[in-house]
């Protein structure tokens, strides 16, 4: 049996995955394989580096830290000034690079991790998904989390990479491909929230993106082989303000997200006879 954790994308809502980790580790469920995208690549790298309950404490502190706040929390004036200068992005990637390095070590390599890890990024030049599972870790994770327009593409070798969520938001199929037989999907809750036809301009882009984000997961979920035991963990419900356009900048609900997801996942594990 190979236990895999699949960690999806979702920006600041990725704090829910930290709560799910705590619930799983509290009952002794430890991954033997981790695959992640975007924020899930960051959380997954931390867990692969230290697959113990201690990592949860570190992640909770990291996502509530000034470094995390600096990733998207700059004032609009600075962001617009950077956009005018760069022409392609609003935010400085250095705070995110520092956060990743703080969690796993600046010189970490995939080969050093306690648990095998693979992270997804989107290659611009090849217009396809790319999986990093060897070599330097920090730049690969940064590439996976390089949200278009918010952050610049990450250059590795002769290629430029952007956020893996563009091509594979919840990489369930990759875990199956890599031999997982028991899979726990740690996701930020969007697949549990209903979609409605857009009623205003801001809805149009959000609904279109959500369809593109979700359709692959639904297809891969339907194709999971019968011998694979799949658990899609509950996220504990939305937080106030999640529907707002500015929600991607807000880290003030980090602890609430973590606790809601921990509680919901703990209850699920009991219901499934896994705790």
């Amino acid at each position: 049996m190979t236990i895999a954790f699949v960690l999806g994308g979702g920006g600041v809502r990725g704090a829910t995955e930290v709560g799910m980790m705590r619930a799983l580790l509290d009952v002794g469920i430890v991954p033997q394989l981790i695959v992640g995208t975007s924020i899930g690549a960051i959380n997954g790298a931390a867990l692969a580096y230290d697959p113990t309950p201690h990592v949860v404490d570190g992640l909770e502190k990291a996502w509530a830290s000034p470094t995390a706040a600096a990733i998207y929390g700059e004032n609009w004036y600075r962001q617009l000034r950077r956009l005018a200068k760069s022409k392609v992005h609003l935010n400085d990637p250095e705070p995110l690079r520092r956060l990743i390095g703080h969690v796993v070590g600046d010189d970490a390599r995939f080969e050093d991790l306690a648990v095998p890890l693979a992270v997804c990024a989107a290659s611009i030049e090849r217009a396809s998904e790319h999986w990093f599972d060897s070599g330097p870790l920090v730049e690969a994770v940064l590439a996976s989390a390089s949200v278009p327009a918010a952050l610049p593409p990450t250059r590795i070798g002769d290629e430029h990479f952007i956020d893996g969520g563009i091509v594979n938001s919840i990489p369930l199929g990759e875990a199956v491909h890599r031999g997982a037989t028991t899979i726990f999907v740690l996701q930020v809750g969007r697949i549990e929230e209903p979609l409605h036809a857009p009623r205003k301009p801001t809805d149009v882009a959000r609904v279109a993106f959500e369809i593109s984000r979700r359709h692959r997961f639904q297809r891969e979920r339907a194709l999971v082989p019968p011998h694979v035991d799949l658990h899609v963990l509950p996220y504990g419900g939305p937080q106030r303000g999640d529907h707002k356009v500015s929600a991607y900048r807000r880290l003030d609900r980090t602890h609430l997200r973590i606790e809601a997801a921990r509680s919901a996942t703990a209850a699920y594990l009991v219901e499934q006879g896994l705790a």
Side-chain angles (χ1 to χ4, degrees):
M1 181 177 73
T2 299
I3 298 174
F5 287 8
V6 173
L7 292 93
V12 298
R13 291 175 64 157
T16 61
E17 297 173 353
V18 180
M20 294 170 179
M21 283 184 200
R22 185 179 292 280
L24 290 163
L25 295 174
D26 280 350
V27 297
I29 299 175
V30 179
Q32 297 161 302
L33 168 69
I34 299 171
V35 295
T37 291
S38 193
I39 187 66
I42 300 172
N43 290 332
L47 183 62
Y49 177 78
D50 179 14
T52 71
H54 177 71
V55 73
V56 178
D57 297 328
L59 280 172
E60 187 163 358
K61 290 177 182 176
W63 284 115
S65 69
T67 300
I71 296 170
Y72 297 122
E74 280 188 316
N75 62 50
W76 286 109
Y77 174 76
R78 288 186 177 181
Q79 289 182 320
L80 291 175
R81 186 170 61 181
R82 184 174 291 108
L83 178 61
K85 183 177 180 179
S86 71
K87 304 294 192 295
V88 295
H89 63 96
L90 289 164
N91 299 92
D92 182 356
E94 286 309 309
L96 181 55
R97 183 180 278 108
R98 288 198 303 270
L99 186 144
I100 298 168
H102 174 74
V103 170
V104 300
D106 291 329
D107 299 320
R109 298 178 64 85
F110 282 88
E111 292 83 357
D112 301 330
L113 298 172
V115 177
L117 169 72
V119 301
C120 179
S123 166
I124 292 177
E125 284 80 4
R126 290 183 287 112
S128 63
E129 72 180 63
H130 178 86
W131 285 91
F132 293 97
D133 58 9
S134 63
L137 181 61
V138 173
E139 289 301 302
V141 174
L142 179 64
S144 182
S146 292
V147 179
L151 296 169
T154 298
R155 181 171 180 170
I156 299 178
D158 294 327
E159 285 188 81
H160 296 82
F161 296 93
I162 59 176
D163 194 289
I166 298 297
V167 289
N168 202 339
S169 185
I170 304 177
L172 171 60
E174 188 66 19
V176 174
H177 173 71
R178 290 175 181 260
T181 54
T182 299
I183 299 175
F184 293 91
V185 173
L186 288 70
Q187 49 86 32
V188 304
R190 289 192 175 97
I191 60 173
E192 298 180 38
E193 297 170 359
L195 285 179
H196 305 284
R199 297 181 179 178
K200 54 184 184 291
T202 54
D203 287 345
V204 176
R206 181 184 62 81
V207 170
F209 182 64
E210 283 303 319
I211 292 171
S212 68
R213 179 201 299 271
R214 300 181 193 189
H215 88 281
R216 180 169 179 173
F217 173 70
Q218 300 298 356
R219 182 180 65 191
E220 291 186 348
R221 186 175 186 173
L223 294 174
V224 170
H227 72 275
V228 174
D229 190 14
L230 175 64
H231 300 276
V232 180
L233 302 178
Y235 79 121
Q239 295 296 321
R240 183 165 54 87
D242 277 356
H243 65 286
K244 295 182 179 180
V245 175
S246 61
Y248 83 96
R249 294 164 51 92
R250 298 190 59 181
L251 289 166
D252 57 316
R253 300 198 176 277
T254 294
H255 298 296
L256 293 174
R257 293 188 196 282
I258 291 172
E259 177 52 29
R262 185 210 62 76
S263 178
T265 297
Y268 172 86
L269 295 174
V270 170
E271 292 170 2
Q272 297 296 312
L274 298 172

